[in-house]
């Protein structure tokens, strides 16, 4: 049978992203939107500051009255935070003012209290003021109608504080996509169970659930399917209302790799199968009816690396967010030989060197069965197909795994 060329990683990513639909919108209070993606541009409902405000404790003055120092000004009132001096400030006058209080009409500067001394109802100004000193002008932060945050932003605590300041008690965000998934294999048992003589502990379900949560999705763990067509079909049917179905294992060429055999009669339409990367060659993408389906390798390291490259951005894409991988550069900490015909993702440590770019040191053993190496990795060194050998000290492209 003729061999089809393996699909390049970037083309596989592009085809997956193009096939996905954005989830619907929902309106949520600010207390519930951390980490969610804005569905609509956030528009300010108020001007901030709403008036010219004092930025310091001191005295509100007319700058012209302080051109010659020391200047003696009569204190005619007080403006506490949450209050105001409502009269017009005239020549030769000053108002005791506190941080956050509005400037009186006629005042154009604040002299900080450290630059003054007080003699009864007279304040002695010891430093010349310039108009605008220690004043937060009206609208310095934003004005009513200003765009505050664009659609697609993943909301941080600072974003939520900004929304509150803009007088937005709730925001329109994208619904979190439900990602249904299951592993396949008679050899697998869940953590905590006693494996039989030919069985192993399944690591994929729990690792994938964590990645889905981290990316902003809702994991729907359908368990482990036995190596029968019937069991795979029965479990896959429970993903009917999910936004995406992910399978783990059963996507290779062995006699017991049954995912395609089981699901094709149910409407599985495969877009591509097998990509030019290591680890993770046996990757499937298509649709089961109207539901996008991603078939990850059963090997735990391969599954997680593929999930980082394909599933995480898919979850973000369904919420309208930025799907870029945010690759960066690092200096290589150990020699690397010439790469083969597949794009390679090498697990590595990433060390900070003050004043220089990070140093990425590949782990000496890259066996795809070793989850301990992936757990210790701070980045993946990305090597294009047929990349030339690189000696220690050379520059390589890396995908950071930890913030």
């Amino acid at each position: 049978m003729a061999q089809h060329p393996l699909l390049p990683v970037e083309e596989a990513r592009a085809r997956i992203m193009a096939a996905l639909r954005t989830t619907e919108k929902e309106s949520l209070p600010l207390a519930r939107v951390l980490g969610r993606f804005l569905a609509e541009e956030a528009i300010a409902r108020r001007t901030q500051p709403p008036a010219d405000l004092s930025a310091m404790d001191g005295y509100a003055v007319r700058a012209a009255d302080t051109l010659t120092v020391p200047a003696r000004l009569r204190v005619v009132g007080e403006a506490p935070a949450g209050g105001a001096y409502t009269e017009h400030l005239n020549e030769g006058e000053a108002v005791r003012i506190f941080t956050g209080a509005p400037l009186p009409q006629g005042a154009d500067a604040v002299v900080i209290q450290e630059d003054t001394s007080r003699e009864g109802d007279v304040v002695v100004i010891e430093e010349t003021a310039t108009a605008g000193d220690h004043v937060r002008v009206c609208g310095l932060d934003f004005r009513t109608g200003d765009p505050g945050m664009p659609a697609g932003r993943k909301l941080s605590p600072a974003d939520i504080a900004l929304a509150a300041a803009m007088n937005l008690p709730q925001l329109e965000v994208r619904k979190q996509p439900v990602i249904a998934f299951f592993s396949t294999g008679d050899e697998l048992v869940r953590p905590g169970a006693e494996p039989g003589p030919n069985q192993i502990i399944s690591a994929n379900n729990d690792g994938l659930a964590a990645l889905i949560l981290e990316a902003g999705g809702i994991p729907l763990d359908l368990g482990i399917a036995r190596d029968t067509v019937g069991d795979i079909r029965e479990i896959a049917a429970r993903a009917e209302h999910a936004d995406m179905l992910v399978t783990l294992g059963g996507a290779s060429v062995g006699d017991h790799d049954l995912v395609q055999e089981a699901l094709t009669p149910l409407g599985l339409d495969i877009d591509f199968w097998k990509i030019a990367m290591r680890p993770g060659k046996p990757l499937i993408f298509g649709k089961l009816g109207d539901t996008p389906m991603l078939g990850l390798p059963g090997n735990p390291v391969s599954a997680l690396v593929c999930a980082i490259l394909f599933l995480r951005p898919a979850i973000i894409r369904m919420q309208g967010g930025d799907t870029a991988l945010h690759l960066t550069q690092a200096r290589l900490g150990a020699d690397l030989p010439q790469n083969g015909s597949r794009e390679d993702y090498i697990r590595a440590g990433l060390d900070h060197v003050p004043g220089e770019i990070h140093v990425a040191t590949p782990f000496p053993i890259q066996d795809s069965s070793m989850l301990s190496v992936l757990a210790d990795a701070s980045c993946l060194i990305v090597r294009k197909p047929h990349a030339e050998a690189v000696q220690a000290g050379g520059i390589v492209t890396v995908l950071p795994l930890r913030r």
Side-chain angles (χ1 to χ4, degrees), residues 187-199:
E187 75 279 13
L188 301 177
V189 296
R190 296 302 294 258
E194 186 63 36
N198 300 308
Q199 292 184 307

Side-chain angles (χ1 to χ4, degrees), residues 62-140:
R62 294 169 2 113
D65 289 340
T66 70
L67 295 179
T68 301
V69 291
R72 298 172 63 83
L73 304 177
R74 185 165 64 92
V75 180
V76 294
E78 183 175 286
Y85 179 76
T86 57
E87 303 296 324
H88 191 279
L89 191 70
N90 299 311
E91 182 179 356
E93 296 178 340
V95 167
R96 179 73 167 118
I97 197 166
F98 295 88
T99 303
L103 242 63
Q105 291 183 17
D108 59 7
V110 172
V111 178
I112 61 174
Q113 61 188 31
E114 291 87 344
D115 293 337
T116 68
S117 59
R118 188 75 178 261
E119 299 175 0
D121 64 354
V122 171
V123 61
V124 180
I125 307 297
E126 297 165 352
E127 294 288 341
T128 298
T130 301
D133 281 356
H134 307 298
V135 176
R136 296 191 179 112
V137 298
C138 178
L140 174 66

Side-chain angles (χ1 to χ4, degrees), residues 33 69 106 111 140 160 177 189 250 292 294 344 359:
V33 298
V69 291
V111 178
L140 174 66
I160 293 168
V189 296
L294 184 65
D344 204 358
V359 174

